[in-house]
mmCIF file of all heavy atoms in Angstrom:
data_model
loop_
_atom_site.group_PDB
_atom_site.id
_atom_site.type_symbol
_atom_site.label_atom_id
_atom_site.label_comp_id
_atom_site.label_asym_id
_atom_site.label_seq_id
_atom_site.Cartn_x
_atom_site.Cartn_y
_atom_site.Cartn_z
ATOM 1 N N ARG A 336 2.572 19.608 16.369
ATOM 2 C CA ARG A 336 3.220 20.445 17.380
ATOM 3 C C ARG A 336 2.463 20.418 18.705
ATOM 4 O O ARG A 336 3.067 20.448 19.776
ATOM 5 C CB ARG A 336 3.383 21.867 16.862
ATOM 6 C CG ARG A 336 4.460 21.950 15.803
ATOM 7 C CD ARG A 336 4.821 23.359 15.446
ATOM 8 N NE ARG A 336 5.958 23.348 14.542
ATOM 9 C CZ ARG A 336 6.124 24.202 13.557
ATOM 10 N NH1 ARG A 336 5.235 25.155 13.352
ATOM 11 N NH2 ARG A 336 7.179 24.126 12.781
ATOM 12 N N ILE A 337 1.145 20.372 18.642
ATOM 13 C CA ILE A 337 0.350 20.279 19.870
ATOM 14 C C ILE A 337 0.642 18.959 20.585
ATOM 15 O O ILE A 337 0.848 18.937 21.799
ATOM 16 C CB ILE A 337 -1.162 20.423 19.562
ATOM 17 C CG1 ILE A 337 -1.467 21.858 19.127
ATOM 18 C CG2 ILE A 337 -2.013 20.020 20.769
ATOM 19 C CD1 ILE A 337 -2.849 22.041 18.516
ATOM 20 N N GLU A 338 0.681 17.864 19.836
ATOM 21 C CA GLU A 338 0.987 16.559 20.441
ATOM 22 C C GLU A 338 2.406 16.537 21.016
ATOM 23 O O GLU A 338 2.647 15.958 22.069
ATOM 24 C CB GLU A 338 0.794 15.431 19.430
ATOM 25 C CG GLU A 338 -0.653 15.156 19.100
ATOM 26 C CD GLU A 338 -1.484 14.736 20.310
ATOM 27 O OE1 GLU A 338 -0.974 14.013 21.187
ATOM 28 O OE2 GLU A 338 -2.656 15.134 20.375
ATOM 29 N N GLU A 339 3.351 17.175 20.329
ATOM 30 C CA GLU A 339 4.719 17.265 20.855
ATOM 31 C C GLU A 339 4.737 18.046 22.162
ATOM 32 O O GLU A 339 5.387 17.639 23.127
ATOM 33 C CB GLU A 339 5.641 17.940 19.836
ATOM 34 C CG GLU A 339 5.947 17.098 18.632
ATOM 35 C CD GLU A 339 6.693 17.870 17.552
ATOM 36 O OE1 GLU A 339 6.987 19.074 17.735
ATOM 37 O OE2 GLU A 339 6.997 17.258 16.507
ATOM 38 N N LEU A 340 4.010 19.160 22.191
ATOM 39 C CA LEU A 340 3.938 19.982 23.400
ATOM 40 C C LEU A 340 3.398 19.169 24.571
ATOM 41 O O LEU A 340 3.952 19.189 25.670
ATOM 42 C CB LEU A 340 3.047 21.204 23.158
ATOM 43 C CG LEU A 340 2.735 22.032 24.411
ATOM 44 C CD1 LEU A 340 3.921 22.906 24.774
ATOM 45 C CD2 LEU A 340 1.486 22.842 24.210
ATOM 46 N N LEU A 341 2.312 18.436 24.324
ATOM 47 C CA LEU A 341 1.725 17.622 25.396
ATOM 48 C C LEU A 341 2.683 16.513 25.837
ATOM 49 O O LEU A 341 2.833 16.257 27.033
ATOM 50 C CB LEU A 341 0.398 17.027 24.940
ATOM 51 C CG LEU A 341 -0.731 18.038 24.732
ATOM 52 C CD1 LEU A 341 -1.971 17.341 24.184
ATOM 53 C CD2 LEU A 341 -1.049 18.781 26.018
ATOM 54 N N ALA A 342 3.343 15.876 24.882
ATOM 55 C CA ALA A 342 4.282 14.808 25.230
ATOM 56 C C ALA A 342 5.416 15.347 26.091
ATOM 57 O O ALA A 342 5.793 14.738 27.099
ATOM 58 C CB ALA A 342 4.836 14.157 23.969
ATOM 59 N N ILE A 343 5.959 16.488 25.722
ATOM 60 C CA ILE A 343 7.043 17.099 26.503
ATOM 61 C C ILE A 343 6.540 17.467 27.894
ATOM 62 O O ILE A 343 7.186 17.186 28.905
ATOM 63 C CB ILE A 343 7.607 18.340 25.777
ATOM 64 C CG1 ILE A 343 8.342 17.915 24.512
ATOM 65 C CG2 ILE A 343 8.543 19.132 26.699
ATOM 66 C CD1 ILE A 343 8.678 19.077 23.591
ATOM 67 N N THR A 344 5.360 18.093 27.949
ATOM 68 C CA THR A 344 4.784 18.485 29.233
ATOM 69 C C THR A 344 4.600 17.286 30.142
ATOM 70 O O THR A 344 4.998 17.301 31.306
ATOM 71 C CB THR A 344 3.427 19.187 29.025
ATOM 72 O OG1 THR A 344 3.623 20.345 28.207
ATOM 73 C CG2 THR A 344 2.794 19.590 30.349
ATOM 74 N N PHE A 345 4.009 16.221 29.616
ATOM 75 C CA PHE A 345 3.744 15.041 30.433
ATOM 76 C C PHE A 345 5.024 14.346 30.870
ATOM 77 O O PHE A 345 5.125 13.865 31.993
ATOM 78 C CB PHE A 345 2.840 14.058 29.696
ATOM 79 C CG PHE A 345 1.473 14.623 29.357
ATOM 80 C CD1 PHE A 345 0.750 14.116 28.299
ATOM 81 C CD2 PHE A 345 0.916 15.671 30.093
ATOM 82 C CE1 PHE A 345 -0.508 14.628 27.984
ATOM 83 C CE2 PHE A 345 -0.339 16.188 29.785
ATOM 84 C CZ PHE A 345 -1.045 15.666 28.727
ATOM 85 N N ARG A 346 6.016 14.329 29.985
ATOM 86 C CA ARG A 346 7.272 13.677 30.355
ATOM 87 C C ARG A 346 8.046 14.469 31.399
ATOM 88 O O ARG A 346 8.741 13.886 32.223
ATOM 89 C CB ARG A 346 8.122 13.443 29.116
ATOM 90 C CG ARG A 346 7.555 12.339 28.252
ATOM 91 C CD ARG A 346 8.396 12.070 27.048
ATOM 92 N NE ARG A 346 7.766 11.071 26.194
ATOM 93 C CZ ARG A 346 8.203 10.769 25.003
ATOM 94 N NH1 ARG A 346 9.278 11.352 24.514
ATOM 95 N NH2 ARG A 346 7.587 9.854 24.285
ATOM 96 N N ILE A 347 7.913 15.777 31.364
ATOM 97 C CA ILE A 347 8.627 16.606 32.343
ATOM 98 C C ILE A 347 7.881 16.640 33.675
ATOM 99 O O ILE A 347 8.474 16.504 34.736
ATOM 100 C CB ILE A 347 8.818 18.048 31.821
ATOM 101 C CG1 ILE A 347 9.778 18.059 30.637
ATOM 102 C CG2 ILE A 347 9.346 18.957 32.928
ATOM 103 C CD1 ILE A 347 9.876 19.421 29.953
#
Side-chain angles (χ1 to χ4, degrees):
R336 288 190 174 144
I337 291 167
E338 288 299 323
E339 289 172 0
L340 172 78
L341 292 176
I343 292 168
T344 301
F345 298 155
R346 288 181 184 171
I347 292 173

